[in-house]
Amino acid sequence: MAAKRVRAGDGRPLERFRWWQLLTGRKLFWLQVNGTVYAVDVRVNGGQAGDDGMVHLYVDGRHEARSRMPAAIPVDGGVVEVAMSSVGLKRARYVTAGGDVYGLMPDPGSAIGRRLRFDRDHRTLSRWIAAFSVVALVAGAGLNLVQLLEPILGVPPIVERFGRFESPIDLPVWVNVALGAAAAAGAVERSLRLRYHWLLDGLGT
């Protein structure tokens, strides 16, 4: 299905990454295979009509192919795979024909590239932030899920068969809102490191 979404490019030159594109959701990655330089330009909120959710592949600076996400675009020796979650990218990688997987190199000016540089320059603080993102997701998703079970399991057929479930947790609305916001922030932070787990990040968003 992913292969059917690939369309030929138009040969236009690659646009360099601009600082204001941090706000538009553009993401740019690089890959070099056997002397060929590939650029993978991901448009989350496209600057052109119909460009939202598109992946553009450039070969040596020229537009070679495009695909909607989730994308799997053939390149020399394998495929480039790009997929989105509800808050950001969950993968951007090069998969060889033999099954080896390599992450694409983010452009230094992009949000993901800046997060990578922050990790290199401030390793300890970066690890604390990464740990907080996991805690925020677990706490926000877990506590809200437990509270949501009460109305979900309160439908008459379930109550008649199993009895009424009463949540052991009843937090104020503002606390639930804060937990939800923290979980969303944690999910965004993890997406900047291309970390995604179907259960942890899926529940958190």
Side-chain angles (χ1 to χ4, degrees), residues 166-191:
E166 294 186 5
S167 172
I169 302 172
D170 186 16
L171 299 175
V173 173
W174 70 269
V175 174
N176 285 323
V177 171
L179 287 172
V188 170
E189 195 282 328
R190 283 173 56 80
S191 75

Side-chain angles (χ1 to χ4, degrees), residues 42 55 69-72 81-85 88-93 194:
V42 183
V55 177
M69 290 184 275
E81 295 183 350
V82 183
M84 285 286 297
S85 70
L89 288 185
K90 61 181 178 182
R91 64 174 174 268
R93 63 193 185 185
L194 296 179

Side-chain angles (χ1 to χ4, degrees), residues 142-143 145-150 165-171:
L143 292 176
L145 180 61
V146 171
Q147 294 175 90
L148 284 173
L149 284 177
E150 185 171 335
F165 171 79
E166 294 186 5
S167 172
I169 302 172
D170 186 16
L171 299 175

Side-chain angles (χ1 to χ4, degrees), residues 1 8 45 49 57 63 75 80 91 110 114-115 117 147-148 154 171-172 178:
M1 291 181 64
N45 300 306
L57 179 74
H63 193 227
V75 295
V80 166
R91 64 174 174 268
S110 68
R114 290 167 187 261
R115 180 63 180 87
R117 185 168 67 249
Q147 294 175 90
L148 284 173
L171 299 175

Side-chain angles (χ1 to χ4, degrees), residues 101-169:
V101 179
Y102 301 93
L104 302 180
M105 179 61 63
D107 189 90
S110 68
I112 296 175
R114 290 167 187 261
R115 180 63 180 87
L116 179 63
R117 185 168 67 249
F118 180 84
D119 181 67
R120 288 196 303 260
D121 296 343
H122 308 279
R123 297 303 298 271
T124 301
L125 180 57
S126 176
R127 288 171 182 168
W128 277 105
I129 293 173
F132 170 78
S133 67
V134 174
V135 172
L137 273 171
V138 172
L143 292 176
N144 282 327
L145 180 61
V146 171
Q147 294 175 90
L148 284 173
L149 284 177
E150 185 171 335
I152 292 174
L153 299 179
V155 296
I158 295 179
V159 173
E160 290 174 5
R161 184 166 184 178
F162 300 103
R164 182 172 297 278
F165 171 79
E166 294 186 5
S167 172
I169 302 172

